[in-house]
Amino acid sequence: MASLEKFHGILPAFYACYDEEGNISEARTKDLCDYLLGKGVQGVYVGGSSGECIYHNLDERKAVLTYVANQLRGKMTLIAHVGAPSTRDSIELAKHAAELGYDALSAIPPIYFKLPDRAVFKYWSDIIEATDLPFIIYNIPQTTGYTLSPALFAKMLENKKVIGVKNSSMPTMDIERFKKVGGDDVIVFNGPDEQFVSGRIMGADAGIGGTYASMPELFLQANEWVKAGKFAEATAIQSDINDIIIALCSQDGSMYAVIKEVLRRKGVDIGGVRAPMHNISEEDLARVDGIVQMIDQAVERHCK
Ligand SMILES: CC(=O)N[C@@H]([C@@H](O)[C@H](O)[C@H](O)CO)[C@@H](O)CC(=O)C(=O)O
């Protein structure tokens, strides 16, 4: 069993970076890579939900994987999300990620048609078979409509290339169950950022999250407090994080559009979001000032 140490820590879910016309931008993708590298995060999860993969064609998804690898390979841990509507496309993405030197693959279950566990097992197994890379299951029932059971997780773990699960379901008990099935030989990632601290306490070894890049300092510090057993300090940060997430989700624009505006204020312009997601409104612009202030004040309070 290869060491799982490189998968520990705070791994922001990487955002789609667009130019002014809404096309994937290589330059802006590199800017976001540099920003996150400078913040000291341990890795990135590329092409997942926060990466708007569901709105990208295959060439765009390959381009994002390429631009990130070219900028960050060897500097932090790189996980490629390769889940796609068809097994064929997922395998093409998996092979591409392997050629680029990614550290691991990950995939949601099949989407749209409700397929039985045996089809989900076959889908993930076919992707795993396509390369030598380790594989991380992505469980996100609220968007896929499919819930990974501990029994299927145990069956998947019989394949030694399966190293863990990124769990985005809301009950932290799911994290505890997956950890119980896998033990120390697997890595369980906390998915819901609103309960990062409780997810870690219930057994998650690390976190992958869609809001991390908007406030990496807070998640990095919360993780340090958890590691040190300082749960009151960690929970105080989580409480501020939750106020910020609620604000990010309460605007006219989608959460990702608001986060991208926050990043723009911090000097990283990665464009807007792709329709049908909503971009921010005129009214949001003024309110984002308040969100940036909340983030800066929380960083000042907890990380200085
Ligand atoms: C449903 C959903 O999108 N969950 C997010 C969370 O990080 C989420 O953005 C956050 O908890 C705010 O609600 C992640 O689990 C997804 C993720 O990391 C990704 O693949 O981008």
Side-chain angles (χ1 to χ4, degrees):
M1 164 71 57
S3 167
L4 296 176
E5 199 46 45
K6 67 175 164 187
F7 296 102
H8 283 228
I10 294 299
L11 289 82
F14 200 86
Y15 307 129
C17 303
Y18 300 113
D19 64 19
E20 294 306 314
E21 280 74 50
N23 299 309
I24 300 289
S25 162
E26 179 171 7
R28 288 179 169 182
T29 302
K30 286 181 175 169
D31 288 345
L32 182 58
C33 289
D34 291 345
Y35 181 75
L36 293 173
L37 188 62
K39 292 292 176 188
V41 301
Q42 282 76 34
V44 282
Y45 188 83
V46 186
S49 318
S50 310
E52 299 174 45
C53 75
I54 217 70
Y55 301 145
H56 295 165
N57 65 35
L58 213 48
D59 286 342
E60 289 177 311
R61 293 188 65 179
K62 285 183 178 177
V64 173
L65 290 171
T66 303
Y67 302 153
V68 174
N70 287 347
Q71 200 68 0
L72 292 177
R73 191 176 31 232
K75 298 178 181 159
M76 64 170 73
T77 299
L78 301 181
I79 303 174
H81 174 255
V82 300
S86 74
T87 302
R88 180 190 288 230
D89 284 358
S90 301
I91 287 177
E92 197 170 324
L93 287 168
K95 288 186 169 163
H96 186 66
E99 279 163 16
L100 290 167
Y102 273 75
D103 295 287
L105 301 174
S106 180
I108 50 172
I111 51 172
Y112 192 67
F113 290 116
K114 300 274 172 277
L115 299 180
D117 268 10
R118 65 176 190 283
V120 177
F121 177 79
K122 177 83 169 75
Y123 169 70
W124 280 331
S125 301
D126 285 347
I127 297 173
I128 293 165
E129 212 45 52
T131 81
D132 290 332
L133 287 179
F135 185 79
I136 298 159
I137 294 170
Y138 187 177
N139 184 44
I140 183 161
Q142 59 271 57
T143 59
T144 61
Y146 176 84
T147 300
L148 175 69
S149 66
L152 182 59
F153 186 48
K155 187 168 172 205
M156 289 300 307
L157 286 174
E158 287 169 16
N159 185 329
K160 290 302 155 209
K161 286 194 213 160
V162 179
I163 59 167
V165 58
K166 162 171 153 45
N167 187 64
S168 288
S169 68
M170 291 310 280
T172 49
M173 180 186 168
D174 292 352
I175 285 172
E176 181 273 324
R177 290 289 94 185
F178 291 140
K179 198 65 198 167
K180 183 138 194 167
V181 167
D184 289 340
D185 290 343
V186 308
I187 181 137
V188 177
F189 293 93
N190 181 78
D193 306 354
E194 298 85 341
Q195 50 206 50
F196 170 75
V197 169
S198 47
R200 286 281 277 115
I201 292 169
M202 288 293 269
D205 306 282
I208 295 172
T211 68
Y212 292 4
S214 66
M215 43 182 154
E217 301 88 349
L218 296 178
F219 284 99
L220 285 162
Q221 186 60 57
N223 196 43
E224 287 309 310
W225 287 139
V226 172
K227 281 199 279 181
K230 302 230 174 202
F231 301 127
E233 289 85 345
T235 306
I237 300 183
Q238 182 75 69
S239 178
D240 282 352
I241 286 173
N242 290 357
D243 287 342
I244 295 162
I245 293 178
I246 289 168
L248 290 170
C249 295
S250 307
Q251 310 306 322
D252 298 331
S254 81
M255 182 187 84
Y256 297 117
V258 179
I259 287 176
K260 287 176 180 186
E261 181 58 24
V262 168
L263 284 171
R264 205 175 62 76
R265 309 284 175 101
K266 292 184 173 286
V268 198
D269 187 352
I270 56 171
V273 292
R274 188 169 280 187
M277 264 201 273
H278 270 108
N279 272 302
I280 53 167
S281 65
E282 279 298 313
E283 291 76 19
D284 284 343
L285 277 175
R287 293 189 289 248
V288 172
D289 289 339
I291 300 178
V292 172
Q293 218 174 29
M294 287 169 82
I295 295 172
D296 290 346
Q297 285 171 355
V299 170
E300 187 66 35
R301 236 185 335 271
H302 300 290
C303 311
K304 300 281 171 183

